[in-house]
Amino acid sequence: MCMPTSFESPVWLMIGATQTRPGYLTLDGGTLTLEVEEKTLFDVQLHQVEDVTFPWYYFGGVAKMSVEGEHYRLSFVQPNGAMSPYDRSAGFDSIQSIGSGRAAGKAWKEALT
């Protein structure tokens, strides 16, 4: 599978055991951007992303990574009770089903590892 040079999907930043914040993860050329609740958390070159893992116990729906010393846990599947990402009119559902979230996780795994 060949990853496109531009790719975006909704994500939920997982905080602790129960909190999440909706946002978007975007790959544009060689730049990876995480925007959560309309605030940019990082906008870095892909080679600056470290320790990327997709733990088996999340069934491919969650990525863990480090960027500039900060650790991030991102879900591609909307957690129960979590808010939907704000509408970017990007052509995908704001609610990620388990199947589409796992498919997004698989695509991101190929792009990031």
Side-chain angles (χ1 to χ4, degrees):
M1 181 167 148
C2 184
M3 192 69 193
T5 57
S6 293
F7 183 68
E8 179 178 72
S9 65
V11 294
W12 287 263
L13 176 64
M14 301 172 72
I15 305 165
T18 59
Q19 294 184 15
T20 61
R21 300 287 183 266
Y24 288 90
L25 187 64
T26 305
L27 177 64
D28 187 13
T31 302
L32 186 68
T33 305
L34 175 61
E35 190 175 348
V36 173
E37 296 180 332
E38 301 187 50
K39 178 182 175 190
T40 301
L41 297 186
F42 62 74
D43 185 30
V44 298
Q45 293 297 303
L46 201 52
H47 66 83
Q48 294 174 271
V49 181
E50 301 176 326
D51 305 321
V52 178
T53 61
F54 288 75
W56 65 269
Y57 46 86
Y58 287 119
F59 302 102
V62 172
K64 292 182 173 184
M65 64 186 71
S66 296
V67 176
E68 298 177 334
E70 292 290 324
H71 302 285
Y72 298 90
R73 192 167 39 126
L74 304 174
S75 177
F76 302 103
V77 177
Q78 183 172 1
N80 289 335
M83 293 177 55
S84 295
Y86 51 91
D87 181 15
R88 283 172 66 124
S89 300
F92 45 71
D93 294 334
S94 62
I95 297 176
Q96 286 287 90
S97 70
I98 292 172
S100 61
R102 289 182 65 203
K106 183 177 182 179
W108 280 110
K109 184 175 183 177
E110 182 166 323
L112 298 174
T113 58

